Amino acid sequence: MRPSAVRSSLSGRYLSFAEREEIALLRAQGCGVREIARQLGRSPSTISRELRRNAATRGGGLEYRASTAQWHADRRARRPKSAKLAVNGELRRYVQDRLSGAVQWPDGSAVAGPGVRWIGRRHGRRTDRRWGKSWSPEQISNRLRLDFSDDESMRICHEAIYQSLYVQGRGALRQELTACLRTGRALRVPRARARRGKSFVTDQVLISERPAEAVDRAVPGHWEGDLIIGLDSSAIGTLVERSSRFTMLLHLPPMSDQAPRVKNGRALAGHGAEAVRDAIANTITTLPVQLRR
C-alpha cells in the first residue's frame, strides 16, 4: 500500500487511524519496525515510539491495537492540558525546594546546593549570590531520575520548569523563584535581539539591480572593490575590472593625524570609509575615461 493512500490525517506530522490499522496488521504478520516504516513511508523512530507509547498494557503485555492506540493519542492531544507541576503536588514541592535552595537532610540541616563555577561575570561572584545556592532546572530534571528511578510520575523536563516560571497561565511555581535562576531575570529574554537604531547603509543599491552590461561582463569599465585587512590593522584595497579582470591595488597607510579614539568615531587605522573613498578617487583618475563607468 502506498504511503499517500494510507495517510488521511489533517496533519502529516501525526499518524492517522488508517496508518495505525496498517501498523497493527503488519505487526501481527511479524514485520519489524524498519519494514513497517518502509511500507508506510515513515521514520523508523516514529514507528518504534508508536509501538512503545500507545500499546495496550491492560493484559500485562505490550500488544498493539489500532483502536487502543488511537484512544491514547486522542487523550494525549486534548487541549488545554493541565501543567504537570500544577496537578502533582509532590513534584511541585520537590522542584520549588531545589529552586530556592531550601533542601534539608532528615536531621534538619541544610543540604548544600550544587557547585557553581566562577566564570568571571561582571555582576560579581555568582557563588555569593542567591542563585549560587540553588539548583538549576537542568540539574533538577536530571536528579529526578536518580531520586525516583521507579516512579515515572516524578519526571519533568527543564523547559517545563522554565515555562512554569515565565509563561502566563502555566505559573504553577511561585514567581519569586525567578530570582533563584542563574540568569536572575524575571522575564525570558531572547538571546539575540534585532539591531536597533540607524541602519548602516542608506539608499543601498543591490547587486541584483546593476545594469545588464555589468552582469554579463560584455562592456569594460565596471569595477568591483574589496578590502583586505591584515595584522596590526594593516589594510589594502583592491579594484577589479569585471570584463578584463584587470586588478589595481589601493595603498591604505595609517592616518597621520592619530587623534584619541572616540566611540562611533572615524576609523584611525587608514582603512575607514573616508580613507578608502580618497584612495579609490586618486586611483580611478589615472585611468582613461572609457574605463570609468
Side-chain angles (χ1 to χ4, degrees), residues 99-155:
L99 277 178
S100 61
V103 187
Q104 296 181 353
W105 293 109
D107 58 0
S109 59
V111 176
V116 180
R117 181 171 56 91
W118 162 244
I119 59 175
R121 293 288 179 88
R122 68 180 185 274
H123 296 299
R125 291 188 175 273
R126 290 166 55 175
T127 53
D128 297 337
R129 304 192 63 166
R130 183 178 179 183
W131 58 57
K133 305 176 183 178
S134 306
W135 296 54
S136 69
E138 289 84 352
Q139 290 170 329
I140 295 174
S141 176
N142 294 333
R143 185 66 190 182
L144 279 167
R145 298 182 178 275
L146 299 177
D147 292 346
F148 302 93
S149 57
D150 298 331
D151 190 356
E152 292 293 334
S153 64
M154 297 294 288
R155 299 284 188 275

Side-chain angles (χ1 to χ4, degrees), residues 39-82:
Q39 295 197 30
L40 293 181
R42 292 283 189 173
S43 171
S45 61
T46 301
I47 305 301
S48 176
R49 190 183 307 112
E50 172 69 16
L51 295 173
R52 184 177 66 255
R53 295 176 63 186
N54 295 333
T57 58
R58 182 168 297 183
L62 290 177
E63 300 179 0
Y64 186 83
R65 302 187 184 94
S67 57
T68 304
Q70 188 67 36
W71 178 81
H72 283 299
D74 293 342
R75 178 179 55 86
R76 193 178 293 110
R78 291 173 185 169
R79 296 295 185 275
K81 295 178 67 175
S82 300

Side-chain angles (χ1 to χ4, degrees), residues 124-255:
R125 291 188 175 273
R126 290 166 55 175
T127 53
D128 297 337
R129 304 192 63 166
R130 183 178 179 183
W131 58 57
K133 305 176 183 178
S134 306
W135 296 54
S136 69
E138 289 84 352
Q139 290 170 329
I140 295 174
S141 176
N142 294 333
R143 185 66 190 182
L144 279 167
R145 298 182 178 275
L146 299 177
D147 292 346
F148 302 93
S149 57
D150 298 331
D151 190 356
E152 292 293 334
S153 64
M154 297 294 288
R155 299 284 188 275
I156 192 169
C157 65
H158 63 276
E159 178 61 26
I161 299 177
Y162 281 117
Q163 288 188 5
S164 296
L165 291 171
Y166 288 137
V167 179
Q168 185 179 6
R170 303 185 69 88
L173 300 175
R174 302 194 305 271
Q175 290 299 314
E176 59 267 21
L177 291 176
T178 54
C180 301
L181 296 175
R182 302 289 166 85
T183 59
R185 299 191 186 102
L187 295 174
R188 174 168 272 180
V189 179
R191 287 176 179 249
R193 293 179 177 271
R195 298 177 66 96
R196 295 187 176 90
K198 62 180 181 180
S199 59
F200 181 72
V201 178
T202 58
D203 299 331
Q204 58 266 40
V205 179
L206 302 179
I207 294 180
S208 59
E209 298 177 358
R210 59 188 175 186
E213 60 183 13
V215 175
D216 57 12
R217 305 176 187 269
V219 180
H222 298 283
W223 296 79
E224 290 181 348
D226 202 353
L227 186 65
I228 304 174
I229 300 178
L231 297 176
D232 299 328
S233 295
S234 61
I236 187 172
T238 61
L239 284 176
V240 181
E241 203 278 319
R242 286 181 56 81
S243 178
S244 63
R245 307 299 176 90
F246 177 69
T247 302
M248 302 178 65
L249 301 182
L250 307 177
H251 182 48
L252 299 173
M255 291 184 177

